[in-house]
Amino acid sequence: SATPFWIDDVRELAPAIAWALSPVSWSRTLGSLVEAFRYSPLPFAGALLLLGLVFYSRRPLGKQFKSLNKKVGRPATDHIGLTLSALGISAARALPLPLLLAVIGWALTRSPYHTDFTAAVALSLHAVAPFLYNTLLFRILCAKDGVMQVHFGWSTDRLPVIRKQLDRLTVVGIPIIFVAVLVYGAPSPAHRESLARLAFIILMIIFSGVTHALLHPRKGVAASYYQSHVNSWISKLRWPWYALGAGSPLLLAVASLLGFLYTAATLTGRLVDTFWLILVIIVVNLVVTRWLALTKRKIAWQMAQKEREEQLAASEGEAGSEGEAAPVIESKPLDLDAVDQQTTRLVNAGLFFVGALATWGIWSEMVPALGILDQVSLWSQTTMIDGEEAIVPVTLTDLLLAVFVAGVTAIASTNLPGLMEIALLQRMTLQPGSRYAINTLLRYVVVTVGTIAVLNIVGWKWSQIQWLVAALSVGLGFGLQEIVANFVSGLVILFERPVRVGDTVTVGQLTGTVSRVRIRATTITDWDRKEIIVPNKSFITEQVINWTLSDPITRIVIPVGISYGSDVELANRVMQETLHSMPLVLDEPPPKVYFVGFGDSSLNFNLYVHSRELSDRLPLTH
């Protein structure tokens, strides 16, 4: 879009600078701003009122921010709402100056006295305002005692490096961006090819210096991560990341020198948007990770407190001594390794997919060559369009999208139960078996929805495959009726829950604890620690004893015979006193002793006692 930079462009620098600094043009711009307020007073009054409100609230928000930070790290007060509030306050504190620039630019576009110079100024302000806001926002997040340090536990060694580079972007980069966009909007091509190009080159050098300081594998902000995660794929690609980040701006500067000014400017905008997207994904990942870490810490606190209460109750019951206070779990800095592996994988995969889609949205217009994938037709499908049947091809893009959805489904079905367990189910008063049933059903739903989505993408609509499904159903009913019966029985077990994970059951001659409920069979671990696979159909069609379904208390009947001629009153009293003195015998229901009949050589009594747990039956009988 321009000739290569040469001596003639150097000569045009003086006229371009004179055009950019023209007092007449700036006075007309100021007059246009005044006329814009006169022309539309109400919108501008509302904008100024909002701006004044934002300025006025900065100090109260700063005090509120410090108050929130004092609650972080304390088990009794720390929660994810503090982090979200701190992020919101930081976003509001960075708003005044960018909002002012945006309002001025908007006013210039509304002015009845519109000139080329005022249009260029408005375009510059609209370009500078969002860039300045993002820079100020992350500068506030990385400030001393800011969100990154207090809430996310970033080390104080790398935060000064980030602040220094953000200050460089704010103080030096913002004015150069304003000049570059201002002169680029000039009506004279010579101005764009001289001063605008020179400002663009300087800006690229600044960007390269910033990325060099941030991404250097040995001196950058991620150096400690690379050292502690040597085997991760991010660490293995640290030098390519660094070369791409620090070298891309220099390549764009060279491209602008060679005359590809429009291309370089457009690619720069996409690179800057990608840079902000990466920072946003990092912040979102930190927020989610901190939320999960706080949730796990809260669960650990509740479990420790419950265990301590049980210990105190036991000690008071045995010795009658007073217990100590509940243990205090100290607050620890954010640790990514403390999060459950399933949850971490799901969060990382979800952010990766969202980031990939967002990156595609940013760069989709820059890679039209990939549109060739839409021209590769694999097969065709018949669909209804405006009430009429039409043949629509299924392209290679559809197939790649189906693979993408299948990958998302596989990751979600594998790792979503872990996230549900940590984030939601532990907060509810559910038994382990109930949580297991919910997770299993959730996995079934995810797989079903993902399968239907994949089939729809590749052209297999329900209306086209319903007859195939019906035929398969009949075939399954005859040929695989046992498997289908076990599958349906498994669904009944999960929904009705007559048998849950952790229950002690008796099926036929088999007694053990339910350890897993699968699609076809249920796994029972018996007292010899053998794992026995029992078809689900057995739990529905046969008589099953569930020892712990609703109440773990069970009754034990122990027969006792005494010889004829014995002191029956004494024997009865001894048995009564013995039962009441045993700690494993429950007082409610009370133990009973009954004479039940005359034997051939003994007077027969039965002892009726109740045990609290199933594991107490054998010790109690002994």
Side-chain angles (χ1 to χ4, degrees):
S1 61
T3 59
F5 192 81
W6 198 240
I7 302 300
D8 294 336
D9 296 314
V10 177
R11 294 171 182 170
E12 288 293 333
L13 287 176
I17 294 174
W19 178 85
L21 299 178
S22 173
V24 176
S25 299
W26 282 106
S27 63
R28 289 179 179 175
T29 301
L30 183 59
S32 299
L33 185 62
V34 174
E35 291 299 327
F37 279 93
R38 290 182 181 177
Y39 183 73
S40 303
L42 291 180
F44 293 115
L48 291 178
L49 181 62
L50 175 62
L51 187 60
L53 181 62
V54 171
F55 269 106
Y56 175 77
S57 61
R58 290 194 67 192
R59 180 171 296 180
L61 288 178
K63 295 181 180 179
Q64 180 68 18
F65 185 82
K66 293 180 180 179
S67 176
L68 293 177
N69 286 348
K70 294 179 180 179
K71 300 178 181 179
V72 176
R74 301 179 180 179
T77 59
D78 196 1
H79 56 88
I80 192 61
L82 299 178
T83 302
L84 298 178
S85 300
L87 290 173
I89 292 175
S90 301
R93 293 175 63 188
L95 189 59
L97 185 56
L99 180 61
L100 177 61
L101 298 180
V103 169
I104 294 175
W106 177 59
L108 290 177
T109 59
R110 301 271 298 180
S111 175
Y113 300 100
H114 203 63
T115 64
D116 293 336
F117 190 84
T118 58
V121 172
L123 182 63
S124 301
L125 293 175
H126 287 156
V128 165
F131 189 89
L132 177 61
Y133 177 75
N134 292 334
T135 306
L136 292 178
L137 173 59
F138 284 99
R139 176 62 175 82
I140 293 174
L141 294 178
C142 297
K144 185 178 180 181
D145 295 331
V147 175
M148 292 297 183
Q149 178 180 345
V150 176
H151 293 258
F152 300 138
W154 279 26
S155 68
T156 55
D157 297 334
R158 53 181 174 173
L159 287 177
V161 178
I162 300 176
R163 291 197 294 265
K164 181 179 178 180
Q165 302 308 318
L166 291 175
D167 291 340
R168 178 184 298 182
L169 286 179
T170 304
V171 177
V172 183
I174 295 297
I176 296 178
I177 293 175
F178 181 86
V179 172
V181 179
L182 174 68
V183 183
Y184 193 84
S188 174
H191 294 351
R192 293 196 294 269
E193 298 178 11
S194 57
L195 183 57
R197 178 153 45 180
L198 179 61
F200 178 80
I201 293 173
I202 297 174
L203 183 63
M204 292 300 100
I205 294 175
I206 294 174
F207 281 172
S208 179
V210 170
T211 53
H212 162 73
L214 296 178
L215 300 180
H216 195 278
R218 296 175 182 171
K219 303 178 183 178
V221 297
S224 59
Y225 177 84
Y226 295 150
Q227 294 175 0
S228 59
H229 300 78
V230 179
N231 296 325
S232 67
W233 64 273
I234 297 179
S235 299
K236 293 179 180 179
L237 296 176
R238 58 187 181 277
W239 286 106
W241 297 132
Y242 169 69
L244 181 64
S248 297
L250 299 179
L251 291 177
L252 293 174
V254 173
S256 66
L257 284 173
L258 297 176
F260 298 95
L261 186 57
Y262 175 80
T263 300
T266 305
L267 291 178
T268 300
R270 298 302 190 275
L271 284 175
V272 170
D273 292 341
T274 305
F275 176 73
W276 296 128
L277 174 64
I278 292 173
L279 292 182
V280 169
I281 290 177
I282 290 175
V283 172
V284 172
N285 183 48
L286 291 172
V287 171
V288 176
T289 304
R290 172 170 161 76
W291 171 54
L292 294 174
L294 289 175
T295 303
K296 291 196 67 175
R297 190 180 70 184
K298 183 178 180 181
I299 295 172
W301 164 261
Q302 293 175 348
M303 293 178 62
Q305 194 174 31
K306 182 179 180 181
E307 182 180 357
R308 183 58 181 170
E309 291 175 354
E310 292 176 353
Q311 292 177 355
L312 290 176
S315 61
E316 290 176 357
E318 293 178 0
S321 61
E322 296 184 359
E324 300 177 357
V328 177
I329 300 178
E330 297 292 339
S331 175
K332 297 182 179 180
L334 183 64
D335 184 5
L336 296 178
D337 297 333
V339 183
D340 182 77
Q341 187 177 6
Q342 271 194 350
T343 308
T344 303
R345 283 202 303 263
L346 181 62
V347 170
N348 292 339
L351 290 177
F352 174 79
F353 287 130
V354 171
L357 292 177
T359 304
W360 174 260
I362 293 174
W363 289 92
S364 59
E365 296 181 359
M366 299 294 102
V367 284
L370 292 180
I372 194 174
L373 299 178
D374 291 328
Q375 302 175 11
V376 180
S377 178
L378 302 178
W379 59 82
S380 300
Q381 61 170 322
T382 303
T383 185
M384 299 296 294
I385 300 178
D386 296 331
E388 298 182 359
E389 288 189 354
I391 298 178
V392 179
V394 177
T395 64
L396 186 57
T397 302
D398 297 327
L399 182 60
L400 294 178
L401 180 60
V403 173
F404 177 79
V405 174
V408 173
T409 302
I411 294 176
S413 62
T414 304
N415 301 305
L416 192 58
L419 178 62
M420 289 289 295
E421 185 74 22
I422 294 176
L424 181 61
L425 297 181
Q426 287 287 350
R427 300 172 180 268
M428 306 170 66
T429 55
L430 296 175
Q431 297 295 326
S434 302
R435 295 199 298 268
Y436 180 87
I438 293 175
N439 286 331
T440 303
L441 293 175
L442 180 63
R443 186 182 291 112
Y444 290 167
V445 171
V446 170
V447 172
T448 302
V449 172
T451 303
I452 295 175
V454 170
L455 293 178
N456 283 331
I457 292 173
V458 299
W460 293 352
K461 306 295 182 183
W462 174 252
S463 59
Q464 298 171 339
I465 65 174
Q466 56 183 350
W467 302 110
L468 177 62
V469 173
L472 287 176
S473 300
V474 175
L476 291 174
F478 284 101
L480 303 175
Q481 55 182 345
E482 288 297 324
I483 295 179
V484 174
N486 288 321
F487 172 74
V488 175
S489 299
L491 294 179
V492 172
I493 292 174
L494 290 174
F495 278 103
E496 187 178 328
R497 297 197 294 116
V499 175
R500 304 160 302 187
V501 173
D503 285 350
T504 301
V505 298
T506 298
V507 183
Q509 301 298 320
L510 172 66
T511 299
T513 302
V514 178
S515 56
R516 285 188 298 273
V517 180
R518 300 300 188 188
I519 294 178
R520 187 193 65 83
T522 296
T523 302
I524 294 179
T525 304
D526 67 1
W527 308 132
D528 297 329
R529 304 187 65 84
K530 299 192 299 289
E531 291 186 331
I532 303 171
I533 311 300
V534 180
N536 291 331
K537 181 181 177 182
S538 301
F539 292 92
I540 304 301
T541 59
E542 298 181 10
Q543 180 177 339
V544 178
I545 300 175
N546 191 333
W547 297 88
T548 56
L549 179 61
S550 59
D551 189 357
I553 297 176
T554 54
R555 191 182 72 166
I556 301 174
V557 180
I558 301 176
V560 176
I562 63 174
S563 61
Y564 284 98
S566 300
D567 188 342
V568 179
E569 297 285 350
L570 177 60
N572 182 70
R573 185 169 66 254
V574 168
M575 288 187 284
Q576 292 279 4
E577 293 174 352
T578 302
L579 294 183
H580 285 90
S581 66
M582 297 184 66
L584 292 180
V585 175
L586 292 183
D587 295 331
E588 186 63 36
K592 300 290 185 181
V593 178
Y594 290 110
F595 173 71
V596 293
F598 297 93
D600 294 337
S601 61
S602 64
L603 300 172
N604 296 332
F605 288 80
N606 277 350
L607 313 183
Y608 299 94
V609 296
H610 291 80
S611 63
R612 184 180 305 276
E613 301 291 343
L614 191 65
S615 58
D616 294 339
R617 290 180 62 87
L618 284 179
L620 187 55
T621 303
H622 173 67

